[in-house]
Every structure is written in C-alpha cells, then in structure tokens.
C-alpha cells in the first residue's frame, strides 16, 4: 500500500531555533514530492521536488529530496512565531490507484514559542 | 485576483439531509479535487475531475457525489448515506494532474451535524 509518513507529528521550539521536518514515502510510480503549510484554513504551496539532491530555497525555508532513500526534509532556520502551522508532505504519482493524484502524510504540527 | 472560493465556510447538517458544498475557481485549471480532513489526519481524496463532464472516485467516495458541468465549478454533495460527515472539506485545483503541477486550495468548509 502506498504511504507517506511524516515525523515528528508535533514539535515545539523557541523563536530563533532551526527545525528539520521529515517525510518518508513508499509510493509506486513516484513523480514528485510537495510540501504545504497549513495554518487555519487552506494549505499553501511551498515546494515541489522531482530530482534528488537539488535543494530548493525560499527565504528561511529549504527542502531537498533523496529518491534513493525515499525521503525529503524541510528545514526552517531562525524560526518565527509566524511559522507555527501544520506542514504537510504529499507525493504525486505518474499513475496508480489514485490515478496520479497526491497522497498526503498526516502532517507535522510546529509550534514556535516567543 | 485568481483563486478558489469555497462556500459556505460553516455548514450544519440535520439527520437524513443532503447538503452541497460549493467550489469555484477562476484559475482556468483543468483538474479539480475534493479532500476531507479529520483532526490529526492528513488529507484524504474524495473525488477528482481532470476535465469537464468527467470525474473519478477517490479513496473515500462512499456517501458523497459530485458533478463537473463547468470547468470552473466542482460542487460536492454530502448525502445522508455518509454517516460520519463531520470534518473539514477542502477543494483544490491544478493546471494539470496532481504531481505535474501543484494543487492550490480553497479556504475550506467545516461541516458539522446538528
């Protein structure tokens, strides 16, 4: 069965800390891995990764994919209270049971304390 | 502004009642999706549509129905057959099938039972 596993499920840090969120997957016909940030409502898109070893960066956030070991990490440096959210990892397939749709992990709930 | 609009934000269902959640997008996206999110869970796919007048069941389609008569609209009906409808419902769209292009989400509808 295809699955996406995120760890940890929740994390509490203080402002200024650096955090690493993990996403491992066992998915047939892998096409891409996506990260989203979800605050109260709509998940907002952060990154889409398709190639191993190529880091994507946006401000204090960065992410990298390892297709050999089947995982990705999302790093957040110098965390701020505004980074508090649930971070979702999802994997897209070329085809398969969901016909190329996204399979989501359960998310990591990050709380950043002032 | 381009985006996805879901309405209503909150909805209450009585026993035996069907309710319809609206989802409209002006992004000119071909693909649209409905997800259900329960506390502490990731997003689970209910239905998706890659083109007008065509849609496919996702992982948890029982008790739900959809239509796709127009490119910009993908309403979801929660029928009385869905015995546990209380959840947060998210609609999404993407330019191409998931995995090739990121999905973008609406702000969600929170459905509760009266």
């Amino acid at each position: 069965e295809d699955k996406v596993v995120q760890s940890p499920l929740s994390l509490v840090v203080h402002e200024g800390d650096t955090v690493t969120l993990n996403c491992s997957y066992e998915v047939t016909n892998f096409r891409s891995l996506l990260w989203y940030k979800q605050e109260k409502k709509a998940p907002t898109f952060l990154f889409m990764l398709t190639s191993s070893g190529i880091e994507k960066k946006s401000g204090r956030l960065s992410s990298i994919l390892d297709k050999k070991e089947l995982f990705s990490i999302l790093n957040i440096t110098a965390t701020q209270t505004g980074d508090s959210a649930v971070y979702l990892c999802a994997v897209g397939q070329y085809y398969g049971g969901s016909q190329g749709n996204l399979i989501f992990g359960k998310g990591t709930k990050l709380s950043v304390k002032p | 502004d381009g985006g996805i609009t879901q309405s209503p934000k909150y909805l209450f269902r009585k026993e035996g009642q069907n309710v319809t959640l609206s989802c409209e997008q002006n992004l000119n996206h071909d693909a649209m999706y409905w997800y259900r999110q329960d506390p502490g869970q990731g997003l689970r796919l209910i239905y998706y549509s890659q083109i007008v007048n065509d849609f496919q069941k996702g992982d948890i389609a029982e008790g739900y129905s959809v239509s796709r008569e127009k490119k910009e609209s993908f309403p979801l009906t929660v029928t009385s057959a869905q015995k546990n409808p209380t959840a947060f419902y998210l609609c999404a769209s993407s330019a191409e099938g998931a995995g090739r292009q990121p999905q973008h989400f609406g702000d969600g509808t929170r459905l509760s039972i009266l």
Side-chain angles (χ1 to χ4, degrees):
Chain A
E1 184 186 339
D2 295 326
K3 61 181 180 180
V4 176
V5 178
Q6 292 186 244
S7 64
L9 292 181
S10 66
L11 187 57
V12 181
V13 301
H14 287 94
E15 270 192 317
D17 289 349
T18 293
V19 298
T20 297
L21 309 183
N22 303 293
C23 177
S24 64
Y25 61 91
E26 292 177 27
V27 173
T28 53
N29 307 306
F30 174 92
R31 180 196 291 271
S32 59
L33 187 143
L34 297 87
W35 284 97
Y36 287 87
K37 176 183 181 182
Q38 185 178 26
E39 296 175 84
K40 296 281 188 220
K41 304 175 188 174
T44 53
F45 171 71
L46 295 174
F47 299 111
M48 185 166 82
L49 306 158
T50 57
S51 301
S52 269
I54 298 175
E55 186 182 51
K56 293 214 171 182
K57 290 197 73 167
S58 176
R60 295 177 293 103
L61 277 65
S62 64
S63 184
I64 197 162
L65 173 67
D66 185 329
K67 289 167 76 173
K68 183 179 175 187
E69 299 297 329
L70 308 183
F71 78 91
S72 172
I73 59 172
L74 175 68
N75 277 323
I76 309 175
T77 59
T79 51
Q80 302 171 357
T81 55
D83 295 325
S84 296
V86 174
Y87 290 84
L88 297 168
C89 173
V91 172
Q93 299 172 281
Y94 277 97
Y95 52 85
S98 295
Q99 303 228 359
N101 290 297
L102 294 180
I103 301 169
F104 281 83
K106 292 185 177 182
T108 293
K109 182 177 180 180
L110 174 65
S111 299
V112 181
K113 294 193 176 301
Chain B
D1 272 76
I4 301 171
T5 301
Q6 288 188 240
S7 62
K9 289 192 181 346
Y10 300 93
L11 187 58
F12 298 91
R13 195 193 89 169
K14 293 180 184 176
E15 223 38 71
Q17 186 182 40
N18 292 354
V19 292
T20 297
L21 285 59
S22 170
C23 178
E24 304 278 329
Q25 55 101 355
N26 60 3
L27 299 167
N28 200 34
H29 284 171
D30 285 318
M32 296 187 74
Y33 314 83
W34 274 105
Y35 292 92
R36 171 180 171 139
Q37 187 175 33
D38 294 282
Q41 301 293 319
L43 277 62
R44 291 185 290 167
L45 183 66
I46 306 173
Y47 268 98
Y48 65 99
S49 168
Q50 304 284 20
I51 56 171
V52 174
N53 291 323
D54 187 53
F55 49 83
Q56 304 294 330
K57 291 182 180 180
D59 301 317
I60 55 166
E62 188 173 345
Y64 300 97
S65 66
V66 294
S67 62
R68 185 89 187 274
E69 296 175 3
K70 299 186 294 183
K71 187 175 184 178
E72 57 271 22
S73 179
F74 191 41
L76 172 75
T77 296
V78 184
T79 74
S80 56
Q82 173 47 248
K83 297 306 178 190
N84 183 23
T86 298
F88 188 51
Y89 291 86
L90 284 161
C91 177
S93 71
S94 63
E96 297 180 78
R100 276 181 290 209
Q101 293 289 337
Q103 291 182 13
H104 299 274
F105 289 83
D107 281 345
T109 293
R110 199 166 292 278
L111 176 62
S112 303
I113 293 186
L114 275 179

